[in-house]
Amino acid sequence: MALLAGGAAFSGTGSATLNGDELATISAASRSLSGMWELAQHIDGHFLPYYLFMHFWAQAGTAELWLRLPSAVAIGVAAWFLADLGRRLHSTRAGVIAAAIFAILPSVSYFGAFARPYAFAAAAVVFSFWTLHRALEHPAGRRWVIYGVAVALVCSTHLFAVLVLPAHLALARRAALLPMLAALTAGCVPAAVLGLIGYGERHAISWIPQRGPEVWLKFPKMAAGTAGFGLLLFTMALAGAALLWTARRGPAQAGRPWAFALAGWLILPPLLLLAVSQLVTPVYVDRYLFVTAPALALLAGLAVAALPRFHVVAGVAVLVLGCVLSFQDHVDVRDENGRFENIPWALRVIKAEPEDAIVYGQSQLRTGFEYYADSLMPVDVLKAGDAPSPDGFGYPERSDVSAALEGLQRVWVVWRGTKASGLEGDGIARVGEVQRAGFELSVAKHSADLPGLTVALFTRR
């Protein structure tokens, strides 16, 4: 199952192009250690552990496949621990079915082929529940140390992965309360440090809109990466929790504590993330909740395994139905524009002539165009340095757009967003500056999905 899940994730690594977040990973990982520390003091400080890992990983190259391989491996690790956790809680068939369901989720294929830490976070969360089960099963000092390390990994992979940790408290029992709380507290130290850093850099996520409880209606689709199958799995997961609650037999005698814990693993993160959004600052972003996908698969697998008869038939039926219902979502994930920021498409649109210029609506887009460009590019007239800014992902640029474009007849302008976001109002400042420099719009094209990219050609009036 681990190989199946990792293979499913890796199958999409070379088709969908890198998006802005993944290019930020390249930008951060390509810096010196001191440069990464400087960056962390201004933006993405809570990603520093991941960037450190990718810094050393990228020493061997920055090809798409290579950059995304660690995430695919993390998905395989998550599937292995998920299968064994299912075995411990119920039976081998429960673990196998849960891992198989997890493997066929489009969200797994997406984040398993994504050069960001979300797959790492999911693997760390599964590992933390697995180590907690072992520690409670046979309390021993070494097992509590491993549990504490697992919690620290959860906190280090992604800041909001810690939202699953309150579900661990459902498993606290008097005989093991002190060592469990000690390990949990020690493991949460990275969360405290990264949380303080993240709070100080909350300006970097000012783009996140405030959301209301209506976002919970989309949660099954977000966790699974597909609407119909996601809703079916969520229903099955609730049934799995109820069946685990009423269970009287099983290898681990799981019963009510684990029913509470697994339900909390699935439900608490979206509830708590929205609470943080309302009380502190808007932070509700769907991808922060990928850590719930293993819980969705595990509870659904437990529901199937708990059937009194025909477990194999039911398991196969669920998997076949899931593949059918999510087929188009898998195709979309593996499409060239599967990350909604198709820079190779933009490069094909740009038909550069000698002495053409290019202006980026957002300076950080330059990283992607320099990564993918393999032919003649227009002159980057605003670029004032080869290295990105030490405190961000943009590049130092000239401010005198009119002077930079003097004597030129054609300029390509590229920005992240729709045509309207750049051509109407003053949403993209560079577009207005180009127009005021004496240029008018000749043609504009936008990639299919939102937010997408817009490529526009301006010619001198």
Side-chain angles (χ1 to χ4, degrees):
M1 287 300 106
L3 291 176
L4 173 63
F10 192 69
S11 68
T13 54
S15 49
T17 58
L18 300 173
N19 74 355
D21 285 343
E22 295 177 286
L23 292 166
T25 296
I26 295 177
S27 177
S30 299
R31 305 179 191 213
S32 65
L33 294 178
S34 60
M36 279 193 291
W37 176 244
E38 174 70 18
L39 177 71
Q41 296 178 64
H42 297 89
I43 188 173
D44 277 4
H46 58 290
F47 283 136
L48 183 58
Y50 175 72
Y51 287 159
L52 282 171
F53 169 80
M54 292 302 292
H55 170 76
F56 294 103
W57 183 264
Q59 299 299 312
T62 57
E64 289 176 350
L65 289 173
W66 184 248
L67 289 171
R68 290 168 169 173
L69 178 59
S71 292
V73 173
I75 289 297
V77 171
W80 190 93
F81 283 111
L82 192 67
D84 197 57
L85 183 59
R87 178 190 64 81
R88 289 169 171 272
L89 293 175
H90 188 278
S91 61
T92 299
R93 65 175 177 269
V96 171
I97 294 171
I101 290 174
F102 181 66
I104 67 169
L105 295 180
S107 60
V108 168
S109 290
Y110 184 96
F111 290 107
F114 197 47
R116 297 297 275 178
Y118 305 110
F120 285 68
V125 166
V126 179
F127 181 56
S128 72
F129 276 93
W130 183 83
T131 57
L132 181 55
H133 187 279
R134 289 180 74 247
L136 291 171
E137 185 180 40
H138 297 294
R142 183 177 63 181
R143 293 193 174 193
W144 287 117
V145 170
I146 296 174
Y147 169 63
V149 170
V151 172
L153 287 174
V154 171
C155 300
S156 300
T157 49
H158 192 265
L159 181 59
F160 291 111
V162 302
L163 299 180
V164 306
L165 296 180
H168 287 199
L169 298 177
L171 300 169
R173 61 193 190 202
R174 184 176 303 176
L177 183 60
L178 288 179
M180 176 181 173
L181 291 180
L184 185 61
T185 301
C188 283
V189 170
V193 175
L194 296 175
L196 289 173
I197 294 174
Y199 183 77
E201 298 175 351
R202 60 191 182 279
H203 62 278
I205 56 172
S206 58
W207 56 270
I208 301 177
Q210 187 61 273
R211 302 183 186 276
E214 70 280 356
V215 295
W216 293 333
L217 297 176
K218 300 178 181 178
F219 174 65
K221 176 183 178 181
M222 184 289 309
T226 180
F229 189 47
L231 184 59
L232 173 62
L233 286 181
F234 192 77
T235 304
M236 292 173 60
L238 295 179
L243 290 169
L244 191 58
W245 170 280
T246 59
R248 292 293 181 267
R249 295 182 298 173
Q253 308 249 323
R256 295 185 175 184
W258 274 97
F260 267 124
L262 297 185
W265 178 1
L266 177 64
I267 295 173
L268 281 178
L271 297 179
L272 295 177
L273 190 62
L274 187 61
V276 173
S277 294
Q278 297 292 332
L279 299 175
V280 183
T281 189
V283 293
Y284 197 102
V285 178
D286 288 344
R287 60 180 176 269
Y288 295 170
L289 299 172
F290 177 61
V291 292
T292 63
L296 182 69
L298 179 56
L299 283 168
L302 289 171
V304 174
L307 293 174
R309 303 173 68 182
F310 306 115
H311 326 96
V312 175
V313 174
V316 171
V318 169
L319 293 173
V320 171
L321 181 61
C323 290
V324 171
L325 292 177
S326 62
F327 177 78
Q328 187 57 51
D329 297 287
H330 278 287
V331 172
D332 293 341
V333 163
R334 289 163 173 78
D335 183 73
E336 183 183 65
N337 196 34
R339 302 296 180 269
F340 313 121
E341 197 167 312
N342 193 345
I343 293 175
W345 167 86
L347 288 169
R348 291 193 295 270
V349 171
I350 296 174
K351 306 297 185 183
E353 296 181 2
E355 297 187 4
D356 276 7
I358 188 168
V359 170
Y360 296 99
Q362 297 94 358
S363 178
Q364 61 269 30
L365 284 176
R366 186 177 280 105
T367 302
F369 279 78
E370 291 183 350
Y371 179 87
Y372 280 108
D374 58 359
S375 59
L376 178 66
M377 280 285 290
V379 180
D380 190 350
V381 292
L382 297 185
K383 187 176 181 181
D386 291 331
S389 301
D391 59 352
F393 297 111
Y395 285 74
E397 293 184 328
R398 296 177 56 178
S399 58
D400 52 339
V401 176
S402 181
L405 296 175
E406 186 175 354
L408 299 177
Q409 300 301 312
R410 293 168 26 120
V411 55
W412 297 89
V413 184
V414 184
W415 65 88
R416 181 183 293 115
T418 63
K419 295 180 186 179
S421 68
L423 300 176
E424 299 176 6
D426 55 357
I428 306 296
R430 290 301 192 202
V431 175
E433 292 170 351
V434 169
Q435 291 174 323
R436 288 191 293 274
F439 290 81
E440 62 182 0
L441 179 67
S442 176
V443 64
K445 294 184 179 182
H446 179 260
S447 59
D449 297 299
L450 298 177
L453 292 172
T454 296
V455 178
L457 174 62
F458 287 80
T459 56
R460 189 172 290 280
R461 290 193 288 267

